[in-house]
Amino acid sequence: MQSNSEKQEIAEFVGISDEMELFSDIPKKFRKTDLKISPGISEYEVISMALSTGGLNRGPDMINFLGNGIYDRVVPSTVDSIIGRSEFLTAYTPYQAEMSQGALQSLFEYQTYMAELTGMDISNSSMYDGFSTLGEAVRMAHRINEKRDILIPANIYDDKLKVIESYLYGLPVRLVRYSVDSKSGFINIEDIQSKITDDTSAIVVEMPNALGIIDENVPKIQQIRKNALIIAYVDPVSLGMLAPPGDYGADIVAAEGQQLGIHMNFGGPTLGILSFRKDYVRKSPGRIIGETVDSNGKRAYVMTLQTREQHIRREKATSNICTNQALMAIAATVYLGTVGPSGLRKIAETTYINSRKLKEKLGGLKIAEKQQLTGKPFSDVLVSFRKDVNGLQEFLSTRGINGGLALSRLSSGAASDVRNGAFFSTTEKTTDGAIAKLAEALEVF
């Protein structure tokens, strides 16, 4: 577009008065109108300017204590090497699926890993992300028993709750909140018990929970559940050292799989893990890959179930999800195959040990409240401070540290439980030196 007359001609053709109307979805305060790029500049010069500007970003050189869903973990080089192979990287949904035996085998192995990790009978071949997978799990529970009430923790993250509500839109389902103990951080068993009725479809529990706590009351749910299903939302890395949800009676398990070999990438792409008991396979969303033998008796893989809109009548579909996260599922498979059971346990235990160190160090600061949650964190450590933490994250960023995520930004339902709470997250990459620098910075906040 070279001249104003050409611009005007195009604007009239598409029915707008000004080219800026094309960017009306972007709030004005975020629009950059002066890019200071001279006309006629070469492609090479534009790229050089972009790289120079991009170099001003901070992040990789900062100490990272951000988590609560997306974590900075070690990604073995085998993961990027294998998912970078052209047969995986460029493959789209195989519409003649059985012609793609390699892709089907990799997804079958992914399903096997996820079923073993969660202690469930079956896993589907992946979904988009953890939150939407939990929404699918809640819908699945309603399909199974057609009951109305879903019990959820009062402090569930706001964004997670919004996704669940979106998935339930139009269904005769009601969300009923149960309380969480403000001293231990554990879910309130008595309150849950009092709210279970004959119309309770499922109880949603989180492990670790929304306060980052390894919740000792979650395994007790199976003793009071009556006929309600149990939906567990878990941290997959924590399963390296904690009992799988299948051991405490979970019927459906949902999780975010980003930690299993997927880089943070500014929050995506991610991986939704969905596992369940075999009795409910006909009520599950997505697709499942099965193993069989071909006409010559050789092992072969097939698309076994795919109850989605593209393959069956819309009213018969269990979900409108149309694909899976094949590349991310393969990344998780390679990750687990690389680290193995003992490696995953070591990663989980190191994360847990680092979180204990961090909690002890920060809890002893003058700025911290004497009373902290008594429950043990896995990776997300909630620290309650004596002053407002709204400016904490910005304060720490000026000192080269990412972290200090205010609890009130994540969960309005929990904000009143832990006054001035802020999260700091650990992984296997967290060092004693990093924790010491964080404590030093907080001393002058």
Side-chain angles (χ1 to χ4, degrees):
M1 192 182 301
Q2 298 296 321
S3 67
N4 290 332
S5 62
E6 287 176 322
K7 291 181 182 178
Q8 186 60 37
E9 185 179 347
I10 293 173
E12 290 176 358
F13 180 80
V14 299
I16 58 176
S17 58
D18 183 87
E19 64 183 274
M20 294 308 296
E21 284 188 40
L22 296 173
F23 307 100
S24 59
D25 290 343
I26 303 173
K28 287 185 178 179
K29 64 179 180 179
F30 295 125
R31 297 181 198 172
K32 189 73 173 178
T33 56
D34 182 14
L35 292 178
K36 297 180 180 177
I37 298 177
S38 304
I41 193 171
S42 71
E43 178 187 5
Y44 171 77
E45 290 170 308
V46 171
I47 292 173
S48 296
M49 289 179 64
L51 290 174
S52 177
T53 302
L56 299 176
N57 288 326
R58 300 288 308 278
D61 60 328
M62 296 177 74
I63 299 171
N64 190 26
F65 285 101
L66 285 177
N68 297 88
I70 301 293
Y71 295 89
D72 181 20
R73 293 199 176 277
V74 174
V75 178
S77 57
T78 51
V79 175
D80 291 331
S81 176
I82 291 180
I83 68 170
R85 292 175 61 92
S86 59
E87 61 266 41
F88 291 133
L89 187 62
T90 61
Y92 184 57
T93 297
Y95 282 99
Q96 290 180 306
E98 282 66 42
M99 295 294 288
S100 305
Q101 285 293 298
L104 293 184
Q105 180 180 350
S106 63
L107 292 175
F108 179 83
E109 291 177 0
Y110 162 81
Q111 294 172 180
T112 304
Y113 276 140
M114 294 307 131
E116 290 182 352
L117 189 65
T118 57
M120 293 281 103
D121 300 321
I122 294 174
S123 172
N124 74 9
S125 63
S126 82
M127 309 196 84
Y128 297 138
D129 60 82
F131 286 12
S132 61
T133 301
L134 181 57
E136 293 277 10
V138 171
R139 283 186 67 103
M140 183 175 166
H142 177 66
R143 282 195 298 273
I144 291 170
N145 56 29
E146 297 183 347
K147 293 182 179 179
R148 182 185 60 168
D149 292 347
I150 304 288
L151 304 191
I152 60 170
N155 61 357
I156 192 170
Y157 290 168
D158 294 342
D159 288 346
K160 193 182 291 181
L161 178 61
K162 288 177 183 175
V163 173
I164 294 173
E165 289 174 338
S166 295
Y167 270 79
L168 293 179
Y169 182 79
L171 291 178
V173 175
R174 184 180 68 163
L175 296 176
V176 180
R177 294 197 181 208
Y178 61 82
S179 64
V180 176
D181 184 83
S182 59
K183 292 183 179 178
S184 65
F186 299 158
I187 56 175
N188 188 329
I189 290 292
E190 290 74 21
D191 191 45
I192 296 172
Q193 193 167 15
S194 70
K195 291 174 177 171
I196 296 176
T197 69
D198 292 339
D199 210 14
T200 299
S201 174
I203 308 164
V204 175
V205 295
E206 298 178 291
M207 181 70 101
N209 65 26
L211 297 175
I213 299 297
I214 298 172
D215 198 324
E216 296 178 10
N217 280 348
V218 164
K220 300 175 184 175
I221 287 291
Q222 60 181 329
Q223 300 167 11
I224 63 165
R225 64 189 296 179
K226 296 182 180 176
N227 293 321
L229 299 172
I230 296 175
I231 300 173
Y233 188 86
V234 300
D235 177 328
V237 171
S238 74
L239 298 179
M241 59 174 274
L242 301 178
D247 283 9
Y248 49 84
D251 298 284
I252 307 171
V253 180
E256 170 52 61
Q258 177 272 327
Q259 301 184 70
L260 305 178
I262 301 171
H263 296 280
M264 292 192 292
N265 294 323
F266 297 96
T270 48
L271 170 67
I273 300 169
L274 183 69
S275 303
F276 39 85
R277 299 196 181 280
K278 63 181 179 182
D279 294 343
Y280 309 131
V281 66
R282 290 286 176 183
K283 302 294 183 181
S284 66
R287 56 176 59 166
I288 295 174
I289 310 303
E291 184 186 75
T292 184
V293 293
D294 64 14
S295 58
N296 297 316
K298 295 181 179 179
R299 183 168 62 178
Y301 299 93
V302 294
M303 197 88 83
T304 304
L305 285 175
Q306 42 185 338
T307 49
R308 58 195 188 126
E309 291 175 2
Q310 284 176 296
H311 295 276
I312 62 175
R313 285 177 294 171
R314 178 176 291 252
E315 65 273 18
K316 297 287 186 182
T318 54
S319 169
N320 64 358
I321 187 170
C322 288
T323 185
N324 62 329
Q325 289 281 70
L327 191 64
M328 299 301 101
I330 295 171
T333 307
V334 177
Y335 176 85
L336 290 174
T338 301
V339 302
S342 61
L344 187 65
R345 182 177 183 86
K346 186 176 181 180
I347 291 166
E349 289 178 344
T350 305
T351 299
Y352 172 70
I353 291 169
N354 287 336
S355 75
R356 297 300 304 274
K357 290 179 181 176
L358 189 145
K359 181 179 180 180
E360 183 177 349
K361 186 75 173 179
L362 301 192
L365 298 177
K366 291 180 181 178
I367 193 175
E369 292 281 4
K370 290 184 179 178
Q371 294 294 330
Q372 303 289 337
L373 291 174
T374 58
K376 298 173 183 176
F378 174 67
S379 61
D380 301 324
V381 182
L382 182 63
V383 180
S384 186
F385 291 98
R386 296 175 187 271
K387 62 185 295 187
D388 191 343
V389 295
N390 282 329
L392 177 59
Q393 210 169 346
E394 185 176 355
F395 168 82
L396 290 175
S397 69
T398 62
R399 285 158 174 77
I401 299 172
N402 277 324
L405 182 59
L407 173 63
S408 59
R409 289 183 57 186
L410 293 172
S411 172
S412 56
S416 60
D417 293 344
V418 184
R419 187 166 65 93
N420 293 326
F423 279 107
F424 300 88
S425 300
T426 62
T427 67
E428 74 276 20
K429 296 171 73 173
T430 306
T431 64
D432 293 349
I435 293 174
K437 287 183 180 178
L438 173 62
E440 183 180 342
L442 288 172
E443 287 281 16
V444 294
F445 173 61

